[in-house]
Each structure stands twice: as C-alpha cells, then as structure tokens.
Amino acid sequence: MIRKDIKMIAIDLDGTLFNAQKEISKENRRALERVRKQGVKVVITTGRPLKAIGTLLSDLHLLSDDDYCITFNGGLVQRTTGEILDKSVLTYEDLKTIHTYLEPLGLPFDVLSDGIVYSLPSRGNKSLYHTANPLLTFVEVEHFEDIPLNIPYNKVVTVTDEKFLDEQLPKLPDVINEKYEAFKSREIIFEIMPKGVHKASGLAHLCQHLGLTNVNVMAIGDEANDISMIRWAGLGVAMANATDQVKRVANSVTKRNNEASGVAEAIERYVLGEAN
C-alpha cells in the first residue's frame, strides 16, 4: 500500500543497499532515482564515516547542499558535502573505560576519529577492520597511551573472527550497555557509541532541521545497529536477509534480500505504489 506521507527514505548500506560485492544493483539505482524525482529525500544512514562511503554519493547524485547523510551510526548528522549539523563523540575517559572491558577478552580495540582508525591489538589479536573498511586510514599503535589526545573519538569498534566475537560478547559486563550504545553492525563488527546516540537520534535531528517528523520517514535496514531507526520511523522495513531481532521490530519485511534489490522492492511497494 502506498504511503503518501513518506518524505524521506533512510537506507543502511551493508546488507541493505549493497550486495555482497559492495555494489548497488541497477534496479535499486532506478528506484532511488525515481523516488528522488518525486521530491522524496534519500538519506544514506550508516555506521561508516563519510570517507568510507567512497564515490557512492556522487554515483547516486546525492552531493548537493540539499542532500544529507547520517554517519557514525548517528554520531554525525551532515550534508553530503561535509557540513556538520550535529555531532556526538566519546571522551578520552570513555576510551579508557571501554578498553578495560575489551582487553581482558582479547577483543581488538579500534578508535575512529573522522577518517582515521587507531588500531590497538588485544592479547595478540589484531583487528580485521581494514578488511571491512579499506577506504579508511589505519594507524597501528602498540599501547593505549599511543592514541592521540584532543581529537574527536567518534566510536570504538572491535573487529575479529565471527565465532570468536560471538563467544566473547556475552562475557562483557552489563554496564557496557548501561553506559553506551553497543551493538553488532556486521557479523565480525561490534560497535560502541555514546549513550543515546544511534541512527534514530541522528534521523530525529535531521527531521527537526527539515521540519519533518518520524511519520514522514521510511527506514530500511538489516542489522542490530538499524533497530533504533526501524523502530522509530513511521515505516520500518527489514530486509529479507535481516537478523530475526530486526525483523521482530519492523513494520514490514521485504520478500527479496540485498542480493535481489530488496530496497527497490520496498520503495516500489510503499512510495511508488507499484505491485511487486
């Protein structure tokens, strides 16, 4: 059923708009182009920094002063040209605290500061983050004290073997979820953000700036870091390949997965008003 109140589509990248090769299908591209011509805003909403999005925004013609994106899982709300509308970061004391939780479990410690990643191994385990986000600049450090002071700390991630990560995460103390936003964003990636900062909070800031409400937003995603925006949006859509946790909070689940242009399916069904 078409939703005429949808004025913005918030779209996750990995596992949603991207296929396994990090490509956008022709069908997804066509759907995005058509919906933009109707005046609906397309907002890339990702855990990545702007630098790690590469040429995507220019490829989709989303590089005007009237185009926006949510990066760092809501930590930055910005125009796609780079201007920042809202920013939330961790403190150096937060880094110390988080490191004391991760290090005893052998979980690597990566600190993102804009497009730079300070990568600290843990008990011999080196981060795999460079394999997940090769567009970023990686600086390997040997000791926690080697991480620079007085820079923005956008988020902390630990990126390691999926089986090892899933074995270690239940051992983290409950306080990590009490003090921070902590979630898996991919099979091998666990992310830690400032409390109250997530994709929904970023979208709420953007909607306030644009004079919209959550009712005007359709959010599409697949992983735990998408739950906040899928639950918050007027229409939350889970991909067919989404985790069960995401599907449970969504208003709708696509029939097709990210390999089969599930984003186009959602747009055609709810915004363009075409049968699938």
Side-chain angles (χ1 to χ4, degrees), residues 37-256:
K37 286 181 178 178
Q38 290 191 2
V40 177
K41 288 194 176 298
V42 172
V43 178
I44 300 303
T45 308
T46 178
R48 299 178 180 216
L50 201 59
K51 182 179 177 180
I53 298 176
T55 61
L56 168 70
L57 296 171
S58 59
D59 291 346
L60 296 178
H61 308 292
L62 294 173
L63 275 180
S64 77
D65 283 339
D66 202 32
D67 290 312
Y68 303 85
C69 60
I70 308 296
T71 56
F72 289 116
N73 290 311
L76 283 184
V77 181
Q78 57 192 138
R79 297 183 195 273
T80 55
T81 52
E83 180 188 350
I84 295 172
L85 304 180
D86 187 75
K87 182 175 184 177
S88 301
V89 295
L90 296 163
T91 67
Y92 191 74
E93 289 303 313
D94 288 325
L95 297 193
K96 287 183 181 179
T97 300
I98 294 167
H99 184 249
T100 64
Y101 298 151
L102 299 183
E103 198 277 333
L105 299 177
L107 292 171
F109 185 81
D110 287 330
V111 179
L112 276 80
S113 179
D114 295 329
I116 299 176
V117 181
Y118 296 93
S119 189
L120 177 65
S122 179
R123 309 211 168 193
N125 293 328
K126 287 192 173 184
S127 172
L128 300 179
Y129 199 30
H130 62 283
T131 65
N133 259 322
L135 294 176
L136 298 175
T137 300
F138 287 83
V139 178
E140 294 191 7
V141 296
E142 294 185 8
H143 308 284
F144 179 87
E145 291 74 21
D146 296 330
I147 298 170
L149 293 169
N150 302 318
I151 60 173
Y153 309 116
N154 299 103
K155 66 178 179 177
V156 170
V157 302
T158 184
V159 189
T160 187
D161 173 76
E162 179 182 0
K163 184 174 182 294
F164 178 71
L165 182 61
D166 287 342
E167 288 173 349
Q168 299 304 96
L169 289 183
K171 301 175 185 177
L172 286 170
D174 292 339
V175 68
I176 200 163
N177 288 302
E178 295 168 2
K179 295 181 67 173
Y180 305 101
E181 301 293 336
F183 41 72
K184 285 186 75 173
S185 59
R186 289 173 58 184
E187 299 88 352
I188 63 171
I189 303 178
F190 181 69
E191 309 200 14
I192 302 170
M193 299 283 302
K195 192 67 177 176
V197 177
H198 39 64
K199 291 186 177 183
S201 66
L203 287 169
H205 279 295
L206 180 56
C207 282
Q208 184 177 24
H209 175 76
L210 296 173
L212 302 175
T213 72
N214 64 313
V215 173
N216 303 125
V217 180
M218 177 169 78
I220 312 173
D222 73 299
E223 263 290 358
N225 64 326
D226 300 317
I227 288 175
S228 67
M229 72 170 181
I230 287 175
R231 182 184 283 131
W232 173 85
L235 178 59
V237 179
M239 298 290 288
N241 53 285
T243 65
D244 290 341
Q245 189 181 16
V246 174
K247 290 177 179 178
R248 283 195 294 269
V249 303
N251 302 114
S252 176
V253 179
T254 62
K255 297 175 184 176
R256 304 188 330 237

Side-chain angles (χ1 to χ4, degrees), residues 2-19:
I2 190 168
R3 291 281 300 269
K4 293 184 179 180
D5 51 355
I6 299 300
K7 305 299 181 185
M8 177 191 296
I9 304 175
I11 310 174
D12 172 56
L13 291 181
D14 297 295
T16 302
L17 187 59
F18 283 160
N19 61 19

